[in-house]
Amino acid sequence: MSSRKVLLLVASPRGAASTSRSLGEHLLAGLEERGMALKTLQLYPALGDERKMSELLAAIELCDLLVLAFPLYVDQLPAPLIDLLRQVAERRNGQARTGQALAAIVNCGFPETAHCRPAADIVRLFAVQADFRFLGCLATGMGGAIGNRSLAKAGAIVRHQRKALDRAAAFLCESREIPADVVALMGRAMMPRWFYNFVADRGWKKAARKYGSSAKLFDRPYAGSEGA
Amino acid sequence: MKAVFFKGSPPAGRDPLSNRAAAAVSAVLKSRGWETKAFPLAAMDIKACRGCFTCWTRTPGHCVIRDDDQESILRAWAGAERIILLTPVTFGGYAPELKKALDRVLPILLPFFIRIQGETHHPQRYPLPRRLLAVGTLKQEDAESEGAFRRLVGRNALNMGDVEATTLVFSGDASLAEMERRLGQEPFFGAEAS
């Protein structure tokens, strides 16, 4: 059995209640079955906390496999994660290859997984520049359908994602690249696009009703002000 | 013409190439006489987005974080006809100095879904005929990073309502004069001052 160490870095502001964590933990379960030692850290609680950030950077240096799990923000990684990756790359500048590997899991709220392509590009280029061996990026749309539930509790809608993460674990534990068919499986739609969009739109209206803001949903508070 | 200029260079001195590009953009904007709101993002207090969606549900159009500098950006973006993003190309994307501001522009979108070029996107809360210019800098030529950067800008343009986008990447030791010349030739800057 392998005793290689995997670090799951959850880079979502929603932290433990995030879809990123749900997806990442499912992958971790598969890696644990294969004998890898697990560690999970959250990025956001370390922002502005020097000690926690130092611990996080140290943990990145000590792992054999780094798994980044994050939500898509404006077509790519959230700013704090880019900042962290830049720090990692700067610290490693000019150093010899470390033998570490990197994989990523990204989810977006749009129904189409294609929105995540730039994020996959960025993670891959980071890996190159920071001397990680890039093993692949698993991307899925319709992240809103998972919410903060574990994939086991999310039911049949995430069957493709569960299967993809299970299969990916088998490759990652051997430090092998995730095959294209597994990446494609991860990106398969959880439900028809029209249905996802219908439920999402209804969800925003329901939330507004709850807060008594239904009449304000289309408000333009800055119209006519500076620059407008 | 009303423009918003996001200066995503790292703090002064850390990246002379990016600072030079920012100076070149500023010079061209000045020469056009556009009404420009420039944001030196590295010096601004912009907290990380919380992913709470309050700006879509509880206080539509307003971010829940009110004790930092982001509101001035939202205010300017709402009426801008030209958006200019400047950043060192970072792993083929934007530097965190720029990205921290972009992560917080969710309030200028509506939560609902629309279809643009066959994909799902969000409608604009303040629809205007905008154009986007993205200026990236690379210390050394790097076709792979530049390609990723161009694709990312294309995605951003779609998410901004399929706006017309121009991407320029300066690399190596491009001089200020060279940058100004190339920027000045771009149709993005072609409109007369209003």
Side-chain angles (χ1 to χ4, degrees):
Chain A
M1 295 286 273
S2 167
S3 60
R4 293 170 65 246
K5 296 186 286 291
V6 56
L7 171 64
L8 170 65
L9 179 62
V10 178
S12 166
R14 294 180 164 220
S18 65
T19 298
S20 300
R21 182 193 172 220
S22 300
L23 293 166
E25 299 245 308
H26 193 89
L27 178 69
L28 282 199
L31 293 171
E32 188 175 32
E33 280 175 16
R34 292 167 174 83
M36 290 193 82
L38 313 180
K39 183 167 188 164
T40 299
L41 288 174
Q42 305 280 343
L43 172 60
Y44 278 71
L47 300 179
D49 185 324
E50 212 168 297
R51 184 183 58 79
K52 281 186 181 171
M53 188 56 79
S54 294
E55 286 172 7
L56 204 156
L57 287 163
I60 289 173
E61 295 306 322
L62 289 172
C63 70
D64 297 299
L65 170 63
L66 173 62
V67 178
L68 305 172
F70 60 91
L72 194 74
Y73 267 36
V74 195
D75 299 308
Q76 53 150 313
L77 289 60
L81 180 56
I82 305 170
D83 198 17
L84 176 78
L85 299 187
R86 187 170 68 177
Q87 287 184 60
V88 172
E90 284 175 356
R91 285 157 65 109
R92 291 173 166 223
N93 191 25
Q95 292 180 10
R97 291 190 69 87
T98 60
Q100 291 176 291
L102 174 75
I105 304 169
V106 52
N107 77 91
C108 72
F110 291 116
E112 301 93 0
T113 300
H115 288 270
C116 300
R117 280 185 200 139
D121 277 346
I122 288 164
V123 174
R124 182 175 52 80
L125 286 164
F126 160 73
V128 170
Q129 291 181 32
D131 287 333
F132 284 89
R133 185 158 170 261
F134 183 61
L135 301 183
C137 181
L138 294 164
T140 183
M142 301 191 178
I146 299 174
N148 61 358
R149 295 177 295 177
S150 70
L151 293 202
K153 287 184 179 167
I157 60 165
V158 292
R159 62 193 182 282
H160 302 307
Q161 286 67 33
R162 276 199 302 264
K163 194 171 176 185
L165 291 163
D166 291 342
R167 288 186 58 195
F171 289 91
L172 294 176
C173 77
E174 294 175 0
S175 215
R176 292 162 63 197
E177 285 184 30
I178 303 168
D181 66 312
V182 176
V183 173
L185 183 64
M186 182 75 178
R188 284 183 66 174
M190 298 177 197
M191 60 190 78
R193 180 165 67 174
W194 70 266
F195 184 70
Y196 178 84
N197 290 0
F198 170 76
V199 172
D201 281 357
R202 207 175 59 166
W204 298 121
K205 288 175 185 167
K206 190 178 168 189
R209 271 199 306 276
K210 177 182 159 190
Y211 295 124
S213 56
S214 297
K216 298 177 180 175
L217 269 178
F218 294 87
D219 271 10
R220 296 175 180 168
Y222 304 122
S225 61
E226 176 190 347
Chain B
M1 190 68 69
K2 290 173 179 169
V4 181
F5 178 19
F6 292 92
K7 292 201 253 186
S9 307
R14 275 196 62 180
D15 187 341
L17 177 65
S18 178
N19 289 328
R20 205 154 59 237
V25 171
S26 297
V28 175
L29 283 167
K30 191 175 176 186
S31 74
R32 296 298 190 272
W34 288 1
E35 186 183 325
T36 304
K37 189 83 180 167
F39 293 100
L41 299 171
M44 295 175 69
D45 174 25
I46 299 172
K47 295 182 173 61
C49 174
R50 296 179 188 169
C52 61
F53 297 112
T54 298
C55 59
W56 281 355
T57 56
R58 196 168 199 157
T59 57
H62 286 290
C63 180
V64 70
I65 304 170
R66 307 298 285 269
D67 61 345
D68 69 2
D69 296 332
Q70 182 70 10
E71 188 168 16
S72 59
I73 288 174
L74 297 174
R75 203 173 282 280
W77 187 303
E81 300 155 281
R82 297 287 185 271
I83 307 281
I84 302 161
L85 310 177
L86 182 134
T87 177
V89 178
T90 305
F91 314 125
Y94 304 156
E97 285 78 10
L98 171 62
K99 190 63 181 9
K100 67 181 182 181
L102 295 183
D103 281 359
R104 294 272 305 282
V105 300
L106 214 58
I108 59 103
L109 298 174
L110 292 169
F112 305 108
F113 284 144
I114 55 169
R115 196 74 60 85
I116 298 176
Q117 293 194 13
E119 286 182 352
T120 308
H121 293 270
H122 296 292
Q124 303 293 305
R125 190 177 291 274
Y126 305 93
L128 277 177
R130 293 191 172 87
R131 286 187 190 177
L132 170 68
L133 169 67
V135 180
T137 56
L138 274 166
K139 286 178 183 166
Q140 297 161 349
E141 284 189 22
D142 176 350
E144 204 173 4
S145 290
E146 182 173 335
F149 182 73
R150 289 180 181 278
R151 288 192 293 275
L152 172 62
V153 174
R155 300 293 315 178
N156 279 182
L158 269 179
N159 270 326
M160 287 171 61
D162 199 14
V163 299
E164 190 178 317
T166 302
T167 307
L168 271 180
V169 176
F170 297 114
S171 56
D173 53 1
S175 69
L176 180 63
E178 167 69 6
M179 291 176 178
E180 282 186 37
R181 187 185 64 76
R182 280 184 59 191
L183 284 161
Q185 290 171 344
E186 287 297 331
F188 178 89
F189 288 108
E192 294 298 316
S194 58

